[in-house]
Amino acid sequence: MKLLEGKIAVVTGAARGIGKAIALKLASEGASVAITDLAYNDAAQAVENELTAMGVKAKAYASNAADYSDTQKVVDEIVKDFGRIDILVNNAGITKDGALKRMTEDQWDAVISVNLKSVFNFTRAVQPVMWKQAGGSIINMSSVVGVSGNANQCNYSASKAGIIGFTKSAAKEMGVRGIRSNAIAPGFIETEMTAALPEEIRKSWNEKIPLRRGGTPEDVANVTLFLASDLSAYVNGQVINVCGGMNT
Ligand code: NAD
Protein backbone atom coordinates (compact mmCIF):
# COMPACT_ATOMS: atom_id res chain seq x y z
CA MET A 1 0.00 0.00 0.00
CA LYS A 2 1.40 3.37 -1.01
CA LEU A 3 1.48 6.20 1.52
CA LEU A 4 -0.99 8.49 -0.29
CA GLU A 5 -3.30 6.03 -2.05
CA GLY A 6 -6.73 7.66 -2.55
CA LYS A 7 -5.53 11.14 -1.52
CA ILE A 8 -5.99 14.28 -3.61
CA ALA A 9 -3.17 16.86 -3.51
CA VAL A 10 -2.95 20.44 -4.75
CA VAL A 11 0.52 21.91 -5.35
CA THR A 12 0.88 25.58 -6.30
CA GLY A 13 3.70 26.86 -8.53
CA ALA A 14 4.45 23.34 -9.71
CA ALA A 15 5.48 23.80 -13.36
CA ARG A 16 9.14 23.58 -12.32
CA GLY A 17 11.58 23.48 -9.42
CA ILE A 18 10.57 22.38 -5.93
CA GLY A 19 6.84 22.36 -6.73
CA LYS A 20 7.35 20.00 -9.66
CA ALA A 21 9.50 17.65 -7.53
CA ILE A 22 6.80 17.66 -4.85
CA ALA A 23 4.03 16.87 -7.36
CA LEU A 24 6.03 13.93 -8.73
CA LYS A 25 6.91 12.65 -5.25
CA LEU A 26 3.29 12.74 -4.04
CA ALA A 27 2.18 10.97 -7.23
CA SER A 28 4.86 8.30 -6.75
CA GLU A 29 3.09 7.45 -3.48
CA GLY A 30 -0.29 7.17 -5.19
CA ALA A 31 -1.81 10.66 -4.78
CA SER A 32 -3.86 12.25 -7.53
CA VAL A 33 -2.37 15.69 -8.13
CA ALA A 34 -3.74 19.05 -9.25
CA ILE A 35 -0.95 21.50 -10.04
CA THR A 36 -1.22 25.22 -10.55
CA ASP A 37 1.10 27.77 -12.11
CA LEU A 38 0.78 31.20 -13.69
CA ALA A 39 0.15 29.77 -17.17
CA TYR A 40 -0.84 26.47 -18.73
CA ASN A 41 2.34 26.45 -20.82
CA ASP A 42 4.67 23.74 -22.16
CA ALA A 43 6.32 23.29 -18.77
CA ALA A 44 3.01 22.87 -16.93
CA GLN A 45 1.72 20.51 -19.61
CA ALA A 46 4.92 18.44 -19.42
CA VAL A 47 4.49 18.00 -15.64
CA GLU A 48 0.83 17.09 -16.16
CA ASN A 49 1.86 14.45 -18.72
CA GLU A 50 4.61 13.09 -16.49
CA LEU A 51 2.14 12.73 -13.60
CA THR A 52 -0.48 11.05 -15.78
CA ALA A 53 2.16 8.64 -17.07
CA MET A 54 2.72 7.58 -13.44
CA GLY A 55 -0.84 6.21 -13.44
CA VAL A 56 -2.48 8.84 -11.21
CA LYS A 57 -5.16 11.36 -12.08
CA ALA A 58 -3.50 14.71 -12.74
CA LYS A 59 -4.43 18.10 -14.12
CA ALA A 60 -2.61 21.43 -14.50
CA TYR A 61 -4.46 24.71 -13.99
CA ALA A 62 -3.47 28.27 -14.86
CA SER A 63 -3.92 30.35 -11.73
CA ASN A 64 -2.33 33.38 -10.14
CA ALA A 65 -1.94 32.37 -6.51
CA ALA A 66 -1.60 36.02 -5.51
CA ASP A 67 -5.13 36.76 -6.74
CA TYR A 68 -7.94 36.07 -4.25
CA SER A 69 -10.84 35.50 -6.65
CA ASP A 70 -8.70 33.60 -9.17
CA THR A 71 -7.73 31.26 -6.35
CA GLN A 72 -11.32 30.67 -5.23
CA LYS A 73 -12.19 29.91 -8.86
CA VAL A 74 -9.43 27.37 -9.36
CA VAL A 75 -10.11 25.64 -6.04
CA ASP A 76 -13.79 25.30 -7.05
CA GLU A 77 -12.68 23.77 -10.38
CA ILE A 78 -10.30 21.35 -8.65
CA VAL A 79 -13.04 20.19 -6.25
CA LYS A 80 -15.38 19.74 -9.23
CA ASP A 81 -12.73 17.69 -11.11
CA PHE A 82 -11.26 15.67 -8.21
CA GLY A 83 -14.11 15.58 -5.64
CA ARG A 84 -12.04 16.50 -2.55
CA ILE A 85 -8.72 17.95 -1.39
CA ASP A 86 -6.62 16.14 1.24
CA ILE A 87 -3.24 17.84 0.81
CA LEU A 88 -2.49 21.47 0.01
CA VAL A 89 1.10 22.49 -0.71
CA ASN A 90 1.48 26.26 -0.85
CA ASN A 91 4.72 26.39 -2.82
CA ALA A 92 4.41 29.28 -5.32
CA GLY A 93 6.99 31.95 -4.58
CA ILE A 94 9.24 34.61 -6.07
CA THR A 95 12.20 36.77 -5.10
CA LYS A 96 12.78 40.43 -5.91
CA ASP A 97 15.93 41.05 -3.89
CA GLY A 98 17.57 44.36 -3.20
CA ALA A 99 19.09 46.55 -0.52
CA LEU A 100 16.40 48.11 1.64
CA LYS A 101 17.58 51.62 0.76
CA ARG A 102 16.80 50.94 -2.89
CA MET A 103 13.83 48.58 -2.51
CA THR A 104 10.76 49.88 -4.34
CA GLU A 105 7.16 49.61 -3.22
CA ASP A 106 6.55 47.31 -6.21
CA GLN A 107 9.32 44.94 -5.08
CA TRP A 108 7.78 44.80 -1.62
CA ASP A 109 4.15 44.40 -2.76
CA ALA A 110 4.89 41.74 -5.40
CA VAL A 111 6.83 39.49 -3.02
CA ILE A 112 4.32 39.83 -0.18
CA SER A 113 1.41 39.12 -2.56
CA VAL A 114 2.89 36.11 -4.32
CA ASN A 115 4.60 34.54 -1.29
CA LEU A 116 2.32 35.39 1.64
CA LYS A 117 -1.09 36.46 0.39
CA SER A 118 -1.15 33.34 -1.81
CA VAL A 119 -0.96 31.19 1.32
CA PHE A 120 -3.98 33.01 2.74
CA ASN A 121 -5.81 32.78 -0.61
CA PHE A 122 -5.37 29.03 -1.06
CA THR A 123 -5.80 28.07 2.58
CA ARG A 124 -8.92 30.24 2.85
CA ALA A 125 -10.41 28.60 -0.24
CA VAL A 126 -9.45 25.00 0.65
CA GLN A 127 -10.28 25.22 4.36
CA PRO A 128 -14.08 24.69 4.00
CA VAL A 129 -13.41 21.59 1.89
CA MET A 130 -11.06 20.09 4.48
CA TRP A 131 -13.35 21.19 7.32
CA LYS A 132 -16.24 19.26 5.75
CA GLN A 133 -13.98 16.22 5.28
CA ALA A 134 -12.72 16.56 8.87
CA GLY A 135 -9.12 16.16 7.82
CA GLY A 136 -6.31 17.44 5.69
CA SER A 137 -2.65 18.39 5.61
CA ILE A 138 -1.48 21.87 4.64
CA ILE A 139 2.22 22.39 3.92
CA ASN A 140 3.55 25.90 3.44
CA MET A 141 6.90 26.64 1.81
CA SER A 142 8.74 29.07 4.03
CA SER A 143 12.54 29.48 3.97
CA VAL A 144 15.52 29.60 6.33
CA VAL A 145 15.50 33.28 5.41
CA GLY A 146 12.10 33.57 7.12
CA VAL A 147 13.58 32.00 10.26
CA SER A 148 16.90 33.87 10.41
CA GLY A 149 16.68 36.83 8.00
CA ASN A 150 19.08 37.70 5.19
CA ALA A 151 20.61 40.94 3.96
CA ASN A 152 19.01 42.29 0.77
CA GLN A 153 15.91 40.14 1.26
CA CYS A 154 13.75 42.19 3.66
CA ASN A 155 10.69 41.64 1.47
CA TYR A 156 11.33 37.90 0.98
CA SER A 157 12.21 37.20 4.62
CA ALA A 158 9.15 39.13 5.85
CA SER A 159 6.93 37.08 3.53
CA LYS A 160 8.50 33.79 4.65
CA ALA A 161 8.38 34.73 8.36
CA GLY A 162 4.72 35.69 7.83
CA ILE A 163 4.10 32.19 6.47
CA ILE A 164 5.43 30.72 9.72
CA GLY A 165 3.03 32.83 11.83
CA PHE A 166 0.17 31.91 9.51
CA THR A 167 1.04 28.21 9.72
CA LYS A 168 1.16 28.16 13.52
CA SER A 169 -2.14 30.04 13.81
CA ALA A 170 -3.88 27.82 11.26
CA ALA A 171 -2.60 24.75 13.14
CA LYS A 172 -4.15 26.01 16.38
CA GLU A 173 -7.39 27.00 14.69
CA MET A 174 -8.02 23.93 12.54
CA GLY A 175 -6.37 21.11 14.51
CA VAL A 176 -9.71 20.50 16.19
CA ARG A 177 -11.02 19.27 12.82
CA GLY A 178 -7.99 17.06 12.13
CA ILE A 179 -6.53 19.60 9.72
CA ARG A 180 -2.76 19.86 10.20
CA SER A 181 -0.64 22.84 9.08
CA ASN A 182 3.14 22.74 8.92
CA ALA A 183 5.87 24.71 7.22
CA ILE A 184 9.11 23.71 5.54
CA ALA A 185 12.08 26.06 5.64
CA PRO A 186 14.43 25.05 2.83
CA GLY A 187 17.97 26.37 2.81
CA PHE A 188 19.89 26.68 -0.44
CA ILE A 189 18.15 24.44 -2.99
CA GLU A 190 19.47 24.07 -6.57
CA THR A 191 16.61 25.34 -8.78
CA GLU A 192 16.14 27.97 -11.48
CA MET A 193 15.39 30.45 -8.68
CA THR A 194 18.86 30.04 -7.16
CA ALA A 195 20.59 29.50 -10.53
CA ALA A 196 19.92 33.21 -11.08
CA LEU A 197 22.29 34.09 -8.19
CA PRO A 198 25.89 35.13 -9.02
CA GLU A 199 28.43 32.27 -8.96
CA GLU A 200 30.39 33.69 -5.96
CA ILE A 201 27.21 33.84 -3.86
CA ARG A 202 26.30 30.28 -4.80
CA LYS A 203 29.84 29.16 -3.82
CA SER A 204 29.78 31.03 -0.51
CA TRP A 205 26.41 29.46 0.36
CA ASN A 206 27.80 25.98 -0.24
CA GLU A 207 30.82 26.71 2.03
CA LYS A 208 28.45 27.67 4.87
CA ILE A 209 26.47 24.41 4.66
CA PRO A 210 27.73 21.65 7.00
CA LEU A 211 26.75 18.99 4.42
CA ARG A 212 28.79 21.00 1.84
CA ARG A 213 26.19 20.91 -0.92
CA GLY A 214 23.07 22.68 -2.00
CA GLY A 215 19.86 20.75 -1.48
CA THR A 216 17.93 19.16 -4.32
CA PRO A 217 14.22 19.71 -5.00
CA GLU A 218 13.81 16.04 -4.06
CA ASP A 219 15.29 16.70 -0.60
CA VAL A 220 12.40 19.12 -0.02
CA ALA A 221 9.86 16.83 -1.70
CA ASN A 222 10.77 13.97 0.68
CA VAL A 223 9.97 16.10 3.74
CA THR A 224 6.76 17.29 2.06
CA LEU A 225 5.77 13.64 1.57
CA PHE A 226 6.33 12.99 5.27
CA LEU A 227 4.15 15.98 6.23
CA ALA A 228 1.48 15.05 3.67
CA SER A 229 1.19 11.47 4.86
CA ASP A 230 -0.09 9.87 8.06
CA LEU A 231 3.55 9.27 9.06
CA SER A 232 3.30 12.80 10.50
CA ALA A 233 -0.21 12.34 11.96
CA TYR A 234 0.79 14.01 15.27
CA VAL A 235 2.96 16.78 13.75
CA ASN A 236 1.08 20.09 13.65
CA GLY A 237 2.18 23.74 13.67
CA GLN A 238 5.86 22.92 13.12
CA VAL A 239 8.59 24.34 10.93
CA ILE A 240 11.05 21.80 9.54
CA ASN A 241 14.35 23.19 8.24
CA VAL A 242 15.67 21.37 5.18
CA CYS A 243 19.02 23.08 4.94
CA GLY A 244 21.88 20.61 5.36
CA GLY A 245 22.44 21.88 8.91
CA MET A 246 23.02 25.51 7.89
CA ASN A 247 20.28 26.77 10.24
CA THR A 248 20.49 25.16 13.67
P1 NAD B 1 11.09 28.47 -9.01
O1 NAD B 1 11.19 29.91 -9.37
O2 NAD B 1 11.99 27.50 -9.70
O3 NAD B 1 9.58 27.96 -9.17
C1 NAD B 1 8.50 28.69 -8.66
C2 NAD B 1 7.27 28.39 -9.47
O4 NAD B 1 6.20 29.21 -8.94
C3 NAD B 1 7.41 28.76 -10.96
O5 NAD B 1 6.93 27.71 -11.77
C4 NAD B 1 6.57 30.02 -11.09
O6 NAD B 1 6.00 30.19 -12.39
C5 NAD B 1 5.50 29.78 -10.03
N1 NAD B 1 4.86 31.03 -9.64
C6 NAD B 1 5.43 32.25 -9.45
N2 NAD B 1 4.49 33.16 -9.16
C7 NAD B 1 3.29 32.51 -9.15
C8 NAD B 1 1.96 32.92 -8.91
N3 NAD B 1 1.65 34.19 -8.62
N4 NAD B 1 0.98 31.99 -9.00
C9 NAD B 1 1.26 30.70 -9.30
N5 NAD B 1 2.51 30.27 -9.53
C10 NAD B 1 3.52 31.16 -9.45
O7 NAD B 1 11.31 28.43 -7.42
P2 NAD B 1 11.74 27.22 -6.46
O8 NAD B 1 13.19 27.39 -6.15
O9 NAD B 1 11.22 25.94 -6.97
O10 NAD B 1 10.96 27.66 -5.14
C11 NAD B 1 9.70 27.10 -4.77
C12 NAD B 1 9.34 27.62 -3.39
O11 NAD B 1 10.36 27.28 -2.45
C13 NAD B 1 9.19 29.14 -3.32
O12 NAD B 1 8.15 29.49 -2.42
C14 NAD B 1 10.52 29.58 -2.76
O13 NAD B 1 10.44 30.83 -2.10
C15 NAD B 1 10.80 28.44 -1.79
N6 NAD B 1 12.21 28.31 -1.44
C16 NAD B 1 13.14 28.05 -2.39
C17 NAD B 1 14.47 27.94 -2.02
C18 NAD B 1 15.57 27.66 -3.00
O14 NAD B 1 16.74 27.67 -2.60
N7 NAD B 1 15.29 27.38 -4.26
C19 NAD B 1 14.84 28.10 -0.67
C20 NAD B 1 13.86 28.36 0.27
C21 NAD B 1 12.54 28.45 -0.13
Side-chain angles (χ1 to χ4, degrees):
M1 175 85 173
K2 291 183 169 177
L3 281 172
L4 302 179
E5 210 76 68
K7 303 274 189 199
I8 311 292
V10 177
V11 187
T12 70
R16 68 178 204 189
I18 293 171
K20 174 182 174 183
I22 290 170
L24 294 171
K25 179 63 67 178
L26 301 183
S28 76
E29 284 295 332
S32 296
V33 187
I35 64 163
T36 77
D37 212 291
L38 279 172
Y40 183 66
N41 55 17
D42 289 351
Q45 209 176 340
V47 179
E48 182 184 56
N49 291 341
E50 214 175 319
L51 290 166
T52 308
M54 293 167 83
V56 301
K57 178 168 171 172
K59 192 166 172 188
Y61 301 80
S63 139
N64 178 2
D67 186 296
Y68 183 81
S69 50
D70 205 26
T71 302
Q72 185 62 60
K73 206 171 111 233
V74 80
V75 167
D76 288 346
E77 268 180 65
I78 292 168
V79 172
K80 196 159 119 274
D81 293 342
F82 287 81
R84 54 188 288 130
I85 297 173
D86 302 290
I87 299 154
L88 168 65
V89 185
N90 283 309
N91 167 78
I94 57 168
T95 52
K96 286 195 185 290
D97 299 348
L100 187 54
K101 63 185 170 197
R102 281 187 295 275
M103 188 172 285
T104 64
E105 188 182 4
D106 281 352
Q107 272 173 296
W108 173 267
D109 286 346
V111 168
I112 298 294
S113 296
V114 176
N115 295 7
L116 181 57
K117 191 180 174 204
S118 64
V119 175
F120 163 70
N121 290 343
F122 263 91
T123 310
R124 175 73 185 81
V126 165
Q127 177 258 346
V129 182
M130 289 185 170
W131 198 266
K132 216 184 292 166
Q133 293 166 188
S137 176
I138 299 168
I139 299 139
N140 298 322
M141 212 47 72
S142 179
S143 165
V144 290
V145 168
V147 178
S148 304
N150 197 26
N152 302 315
Q153 287 198 307
C154 279
N155 52 356
Y156 186 77
S157 70
S159 73
K160 295 299 186 181
I163 287 176
I164 292 173
F166 183 98
T167 303
K168 292 186 175 189
S169 299
K172 290 191 169 164
E173 192 171 323
M174 300 195 288
V176 68
R177 252 337 239 182
I179 303 166
R180 298 184 294 111
S181 301
N182 292 288
I184 296 177
F188 180 68
I189 309 297
E190 307 273 3
T191 67
E192 284 173 61
M193 182 184 266
T194 46
L197 292 169
E199 185 52 35
E200 70 268 19
I201 294 194
R202 292 162 49 78
K203 214 166 140 239
S204 77
W205 274 77
N206 276 342
E207 280 160 8
K208 280 187 226 152
I209 300 169
L211 290 181
R212 290 292 184 275
R213 67 169 178 89
T216 63
E218 199 179 8
D219 288 326
V220 180
N222 283 329
V223 177
T224 309
L225 170 62
F226 166 69
L227 290 173
S229 77
D230 289 344
L231 289 177
S232 60
Y234 203 54
V235 180
N236 190 26
Q238 304 304 309
V239 183
I240 302 185
N241 291 349
V242 182
C243 63
M246 187 174 68
N247 226 36
T248 52

